[in-house]
Amino acid sequence: MPNNKRKNRDNRNKEVTMTPPNEKDTPIQDYEDDEIEEMQEADLKKLIRTLRSSQKQILELQKSLMDKIENLSRENEILRRNQNETKQLVQQETVIVTRNHNEVKNSIDQMKNTIESLTNRMGEAEERISDLEDREQERIQSDQRKEEEIRNLKHIVRNLQDTIKKPNIRVLGVPEGMEREKGLEGLFSEILAGNFPGLEKDREILVQEAHRTPNKHDQKRSSPRHVVIKLTTVKHKEKILKCAREKCQITLRGSPIRLTADFSSDTLQARREWRYIAQVLRENNCQPRILYPAKLSFVNEGEIKTFHSKQKLKEFVATRPALLKMLKDVLHTETQKHGHQYVRR
């Protein structure tokens, strides 16, 4: 019996000896009190060391676990804090985004309202502009009609004046005061007697009226006023002027004078505007004449051409190279002259 107990104890000692002391998962053997008494001192010390080593390892493991738990707790706290911060940031960003969204929406609404208002105002402005354009067009047309009426009225007045003045003869160069002795009618009879003896005996030539123009004498004027002689018939006027054209020089008491037809101021100006053109045509033997009331007549390629305006003359000259070369400079000068007059106005 004691031998069996010894064998069992030796086997257990071998098991304890064979168990590596550094293995953490080795279970601690449960010994009976009587077995501990029977152990040798060396085995007991060895067991104590094993227990102490196991206890140390358990403590170290416990400390390690506590450290890990603490680290995990800190990390969890950090994560929780970060989560809260992130949540707060998300909430703040959500509030900001919502506010910005509302602001953008309000801005868009305001822009839409502004655009709608501007569109309405533009529509109203376009309507007003259209109305103004219509009114302007009506005004322009009205002005054009008025200008046309004014031109027509001027033309009528001009024709009336020319008709009234048609039997008149204008005498240029009669000195002021010479009519005191015989009067203007007596001076005209003296002109006819001194220059056209055959006409002086014509009893049908009668002076209806005679006066100077303008009525009031300007002392600053160097040249004498014109004398206007109104005859009873146009035929007698044409007869006298024809004789005057045939005679190169007409005089009154030794002073040279001129006899011309009497025209309205507009017709007289229109006749003057043909003067330089007629001079060039005369130099080129085109036999120019200024017809009543203000028409230019001349001979071109054996035909007599008559023009009422310079525009018609320019259109005709453009089709005649030789005539264009002849009148190019004078027509250009006349155009520039009228352009300067228009600018001055």
Side-chain angles (χ1 to χ4, degrees):
M1 192 64 182
N3 292 330
N4 292 333
K5 289 182 180 181
R6 184 178 297 268
K7 288 182 182 179
N8 292 333
R9 190 171 54 251
D10 292 336
N11 292 333
R12 289 177 182 175
N13 290 335
K14 287 181 181 180
E15 289 177 359
V16 172
T17 304
M18 293 176 64
T19 301
N22 56 349
E23 289 183 4
K24 296 180 180 181
D25 58 346
T26 302
I28 301 175
Q29 299 290 334
D30 295 330
Y31 295 96
E32 299 293 336
D33 294 338
D34 55 350
E35 291 178 348
I36 293 174
E37 293 176 355
E38 293 177 0
M39 285 183 182
Q40 296 181 4
E41 185 178 354
D43 293 334
L44 185 59
K45 291 181 179 181
K46 186 176 181 180
L47 177 60
I48 292 171
R49 284 195 301 270
T50 301
L51 290 174
R52 288 178 178 176
S53 176
S54 298
Q55 185 180 9
K56 184 177 180 181
Q57 290 177 0
I58 289 171
L59 291 174
E60 291 177 353
L61 180 59
Q62 183 179 6
K63 183 179 180 182
S64 176
L65 289 174
M66 293 300 295
D67 293 338
K68 289 182 179 181
I69 291 171
E70 186 177 357
N71 291 333
L72 288 174
S73 298
R74 282 197 300 269
E75 291 178 0
N76 185 40
E77 180 64 21
I78 293 172
L79 288 174
R80 188 182 60 80
R81 188 166 55 250
N82 291 339
Q83 183 179 6
N84 293 333
E85 292 177 355
T86 303
K87 185 177 180 180
Q88 291 177 357
L89 289 175
V90 170
Q91 291 177 349
Q92 293 175 358
E93 291 295 328
T94 302
V95 172
I96 293 173
V97 170
T98 304
R99 185 169 60 249
N100 292 338
H101 174 73
N102 293 332
E103 292 177 355
V104 171
K105 185 178 179 181
N106 293 332
S107 299
I108 292 174
D109 292 338
Q110 292 177 0
M111 291 177 64
K112 287 182 178 179
N113 295 332
T114 303
I115 292 173
E116 184 177 358
S117 176
L118 290 174
T119 303
N120 294 333
R121 292 176 63 183
M122 287 179 63
E124 294 175 357
E126 288 177 355
E127 291 180 359
R128 292 180 61 185
I129 291 172
S130 179
D131 292 339
L132 290 175
E133 288 177 348
D134 293 340
R135 293 180 184 178
E136 180 65 16
Q137 187 64 29
E138 292 176 357
R139 187 190 65 79
I140 291 173
Q141 293 177 356
S142 176
D143 291 344
Q144 290 175 349
R145 287 193 298 269
K146 289 179 181 178
E147 289 176 359
E148 184 66 23
E149 292 175 358
I150 290 172
R151 283 195 296 268
N152 293 335
L153 289 174
K154 285 184 177 179
H155 183 69
I156 293 172
V157 171
R158 174 179 166 181
N159 289 338
L160 288 174
Q161 289 177 343
D162 290 335
T163 301
I164 294 171
K165 294 174 179 290
K166 198 168 185 179
N168 295 356
I169 291 178
R170 188 176 287 251
V171 185
L172 287 67
V174 178
E176 293 283 347
M178 188 177 285
E179 67 272 17
R180 292 172 184 169
E181 299 178 4
K182 298 182 179 181
L184 293 175
E185 294 87 347
L187 286 179
F188 184 68
S189 299
E190 185 177 343
I191 292 170
L192 295 181
N195 295 277
F196 318 111
L199 295 178
E200 193 271 337
K201 296 178 182 180
D202 191 345
R203 299 299 179 181
E204 295 181 357
I205 299 177
L206 300 175
V207 177
Q208 186 175 352
E209 182 184 345
H211 65 275
R212 282 190 183 268
T213 181
N215 294 328
K216 187 176 181 180
H217 178 54
D218 187 1
Q219 298 295 335
K220 297 180 180 179
R221 182 173 177 173
S222 59
S223 60
R225 292 173 293 169
H226 297 176
V227 176
V228 178
I229 305 296
K230 185 174 183 178
L231 302 176
T232 55
T233 64
V234 177
K235 180 178 70 173
H236 294 153
K237 181 202 76 170
E238 295 293 343
K239 190 175 182 179
I240 293 171
L241 292 179
K242 182 179 178 182
C243 294
R245 285 193 296 269
E246 292 174 353
K247 188 173 183 178
C248 298
Q249 186 176 7
I250 302 172
T251 60
L252 174 62
R253 300 179 185 180
S255 300
I257 60 173
R258 288 176 55 200
L259 300 181
T260 65
D262 187 26
F263 300 101
S264 64
S265 57
D266 292 337
T267 301
L268 189 60
Q269 179 61 33
R271 291 173 67 88
R272 286 172 181 169
E273 291 178 357
W274 291 118
R275 181 173 53 186
Y276 296 107
I277 297 174
Q279 181 178 351
V280 174
L281 292 171
R282 190 175 296 109
E283 292 173 355
N284 289 272
N285 300 319
C286 294
Q287 304 175 22
R289 290 184 61 191
I290 300 177
L291 305 178
Y292 181 87
K295 297 181 289 186
L296 176 66
S297 174
F298 62 92
V299 177
N300 179 254
E301 298 178 357
E303 297 181 1
I304 298 177
K305 302 294 181 180
T306 304
F307 300 94
H308 297 79
S309 66
K310 288 184 180 179
Q311 183 61 35
K312 295 294 183 181
L313 176 62
K314 290 178 181 179
E315 293 174 0
F316 176 76
V317 168
T319 63
R320 300 293 191 276
L323 195 59
L324 177 62
K325 183 178 180 181
M326 183 192 308
L327 298 176
K328 181 178 180 180
D329 293 337
V330 67
L331 288 175
H332 181 67
T333 303
E334 290 290 324
T335 302
Q336 285 185 332
K337 186 187 298 182
H338 288 295
H340 292 319
Q341 290 176 356
Y342 178 78
V343 171
R344 285 197 297 272
R345 289 175 186 173

